[in-house]
Amino acid sequence: MRDTVLQISDLKTCFDTRDGMVTAVDGVSLSLNRGECLGVVGESGSGKSVTFASVMGLIKKPGFIANGSITFEKRELVGLDPTAYRKLRGKEIAMTMQDALTALNPAYTVSNQIIEVLLAHDDTLTGSRKAKRKQAREQALEMLKLVGIPSPESRFDDYPHQFSGGMRQRVMIAIALACKPRLLIADEPTTALDVTIQAQVLELIAGIREKLGMSVILITHDLGVVAEYCDNVVVMYAGQIVERGPTHAVIANPQHPYTQGLLNSIPRLSDLARRIEPIKGTVPELVNLPAQCRFMDRCTRARPACKTHIAMQDCGPEREVRCLFPGTPGGGDV
Ligand SMILES: Nc1ncnc2c1ncn2[C@@H]1O[C@H](COP(=O)(O)OP(=O)(O)OP(=O)(O)O)[C@@H](O)[C@H]1O
Ligand SMILES: [Mg+2]
């Protein structure tokens, strides 16, 4: 039987802006099983971060969740009161933010930021406040060792700006993992890093996932990363999921023209003669969108029939696509 950790159903998250109502996430549904790694891909502005900020209870005015349900281990999170959310966040679900420099507090040392999380959430710390602090300090040092900060004793009391970009990402992961959460949401953990550090950070997350039996959501622009680390993948476009399925099946045989476009824009070492084909055009404004396929204006397959609301439809085992004319011309691989 499936052990569902996270279930998002028909989530709609909006921002009430001067230009009108921006529907950043429009009817997103997904579920994640225990121990699974789910990749979430899509170009900038497709609603990846807003979807998972909604899960973390981090949508603030002018933003709001207009509709839908989010359950974590069968517990409803939409409408959860702020105190209950604070207990959950960091301890049971942790998220590493896209931009480590702005997510870390510049006024506190790295050690203080990890210790603070442990003091807030770790029930295994015992004794007086001073004793708890000492234990938390030891654990924090262990965490920094675990994420591969070289000579952590000497770096422990440095401030975030004294670390390189890769080190800051590791510190964020250390903070996120400090309380051994059951779900880790990693928002673009490696986008700002060079390729070798990128691989190290991803291997680190994969290793800890295995060790702790943690479930992981990996948000990324990079389908290569998804191919290597994720069991399943969802592809987002303009606030909606347009394709989902087991990673190997989606990559070998993408059904949505947008997924195919993403795959065609990846350079491949095995085929240097092939021209990279960027997807023409840009993501539509998310204000007052008409009821039609959102990819229509960029799609070579678009027909008049696409000018209607398009629902997700089955397209293979455990697979769905939001397209009236799905299919793979010529197949694909990464
Ligand atoms: N506070 C806000 N006010 C108004 N609009 C917002 C706000 N936050 C996000 N949005 C809009 O929501 C949409 C989705 O943004 P989101 O950050 O989820 O994209 P993303 O897929 O994570 O992109 P990226 O890959 O660049 O991180 C964007 O159009 C963005 O402009
Ligand atoms: Mg984002």
Side-chain angles (χ1 to χ4, degrees):
M1 213 181 83
R2 283 193 176 179
D3 180 5
T4 306
V5 175
L6 181 74
Q7 175 93 46
I8 304 181
S9 311
D10 206 15
L11 178 70
K12 185 168 171 179
T13 305
C14 304
F15 294 92
D16 194 359
T17 69
R18 261 180 305 173
D19 302 330
M21 194 63 81
V22 173
T23 306
V25 176
D26 196 0
V28 163
S29 300
L30 59 85
S31 73
L32 179 76
N33 291 323
R34 194 166 305 282
E36 178 185 338
C37 182
L38 175 70
V40 179
V41 290
E43 74 200 89
S44 197
S46 54
K48 306 180 297 295
S49 297
V50 173
T51 300
F52 292 98
S54 307
V55 172
M56 297 300 283
L58 296 175
I59 300 295
K60 298 281 173 295
K61 270 188 178 166
F64 60 98
I65 294 180
N67 186 47
S69 147
I70 302 168
T71 55
F72 172 67
E73 296 178 343
K74 303 199 169 60
R75 185 169 169 202
E76 180 61 56
L77 299 186
V78 175
L80 191 69
D81 73 86
T83 319
Y85 239 128
R86 264 198 299 278
K87 281 196 185 141
L88 185 91
R89 225 176 0 235
K91 184 174 167 64
E92 295 174 53
I93 312 178
M95 180 162 172
T96 64
M97 297 297 169
Q98 207 163 350
D99 181 351
L101 191 55
T102 50
L104 293 169
N105 190 329
Y108 289 94
T109 61
V110 156
S111 59
N112 257 330
Q113 297 187 52
I114 309 181
I115 289 170
E116 201 180 312
V117 176
L118 288 165
L119 286 175
H121 291 304
D122 192 338
D123 310 326
T124 63
L125 304 177
T126 52
S128 64
R129 212 186 136 66
K130 203 170 156 200
K132 281 185 178 165
R133 217 181 157 79
K134 187 161 176 283
Q135 292 158 38
R137 201 178 155 84
E138 276 158 20
Q139 278 191 35
L141 200 55
E142 276 305 306
M143 281 318 295
L144 287 183
K145 276 193 194 135
L146 185 70
V147 298
I149 302 276
S151 53
E153 289 86 355
S154 64
R155 304 302 313 271
F156 203 41
D157 293 310
D158 284 352
Y159 288 87
H161 73 269
Q162 292 170 293
F163 286 77
S164 69
M167 292 294 162
R168 275 197 293 269
Q169 278 295 350
R170 285 162 191 249
V171 168
M172 281 245 299
I173 293 170
I175 294 174
L177 295 177
C179 290
K180 306 193 171 46
R182 296 198 288 286
L183 169 61
L184 174 72
I185 300 169
D187 193 355
E188 309 264 5
T190 58
T191 303
L193 308 179
D194 66 66
V195 193
T196 43
I197 307 288
Q198 205 179 80
Q200 285 174 18
V201 169
L202 290 167
E203 286 300 326
L204 173 76
I205 295 176
I208 296 173
R209 174 190 161 208
E210 204 161 299
K211 209 162 130 197
L212 303 180
M214 193 172 61
S215 316
V216 177
I217 289 186
L218 192 58
I219 304 174
T220 174
H221 284 110
D222 191 337
L223 272 168
V225 166
V226 171
E228 194 147 346
Y229 294 96
C230 302
D231 308 304
N232 295 298
V233 60
V234 300
V235 181
M236 286 191 69
Y237 185 77
Q240 298 181 323
I241 291 178
V242 294
E243 180 154 9
R244 79 167 90 241
T247 305
H248 60 90
V250 171
I251 286 178
N253 190 12
Q255 293 296 303
H256 198 284
Y258 179 63
T259 317
Q260 282 154 22
L262 285 180
L263 284 163
N264 287 340
S265 39
I266 300 176
R268 277 178 225 157
L269 280 177
S270 58
D271 190 7
L272 288 175
R274 188 182 65 101
R275 283 183 73 87
I276 295 173
E277 293 171 37
I279 307 169
K280 292 191 177 69
T282 51
V283 186
E285 288 272 342
L286 300 175
V287 184
N288 300 328
L289 281 176
Q292 63 172 42
C293 167
R294 296 187 175 180
F295 189 61
M296 190 172 172
D297 296 340
R298 302 172 77 182
C299 183
T300 50
R301 261 181 243 169
R303 296 185 211 166
C306 305
K307 274 190 178 282
T308 179
H309 170 77
I310 316 279
M312 289 292 267
Q313 54 168 310
D314 290 346
C315 63
E318 313 262 311
R319 293 192 61 179
E320 280 185 327
V321 64
R322 194 185 293 278
C323 179
L324 294 181
F325 307 104
T328 307
D333 69 298
V334 185

